[in-house]
Amino acid sequence: MKYALLFHESAADFAVRNDPEKAGAYWAAWGAYIGTLEQSGIVVSAAGLLPPDTATNVRIRDGKRQVHDGPYPESKEMLGGFFVIDVPDLDTALEWAARSPASSYGTTEVRPLMPPMPEEKE
């Protein structure tokens, strides 16, 4: 079964990425985790995300497109990256989530992927 591991980090966690005194340890922890995931053979896809202030949000309200920069201010943690993994069950996905560096300082969300949409028959 496929699961998304979604890594949520605070604004302070994102700042560590570029802090000369802390970035080395931050990226080393992620490098080790990513290497282990890749060696396991369960990775379907993955991507790290740039900080939330680079985001643009789109909504349609009253038939009109609204575009807003950055994350919503009420959000305490923002999505920092994700992996899609293919593992036998939720327990295995939770084990991989617990190993994530984000689980130590932020949150790792585990969410099952929807199955493919059925094809329409003509």
Side-chain angles (χ1 to χ4, degrees):
M1 177 146 193
K2 293 181 183 164
Y3 292 89
L5 303 180
L6 306 166
F7 308 114
H8 298 273
E9 300 176 294
S10 70
D13 298 329
F14 273 97
V16 169
R17 292 177 175 193
N18 297 317
D19 182 325
E21 295 179 14
K22 299 177 183 175
Y26 175 92
W27 291 114
W30 277 105
Y33 180 66
I34 291 166
T36 303
L37 267 172
E38 289 175 345
Q39 288 175 357
S40 74
I42 63 171
V43 175
V44 175
S45 64
L49 301 173
L50 290 174
D53 62 350
T54 65
T56 304
N57 298 296
V58 178
R59 292 180 177 182
I60 303 296
R61 297 296 182 265
D62 299 321
K64 295 182 182 177
R65 183 176 71 173
Q66 297 177 353
V67 179
H68 301 279
D69 293 336
Y72 293 102
E74 66 269 11
S75 181
K76 293 181 181 175
E77 291 182 331
M78 288 132 312
L79 186 61
F82 68 91
F83 275 89
V84 174
I85 59 173
D86 193 354
V87 294
D89 53 39
L90 177 59
D91 288 336
T92 305
L94 293 174
E95 289 173 18
W96 281 104
R99 295 170 71 174
S100 154
S103 295
S104 298
Y105 57 79
T107 303
T108 301
E109 177 182 351
V110 177
R111 190 179 301 184
L113 271 58
M114 292 178 64
M117 297 286 289
E119 293 184 28
E120 288 188 31
K121 295 180 182 177
E122 294 180 27

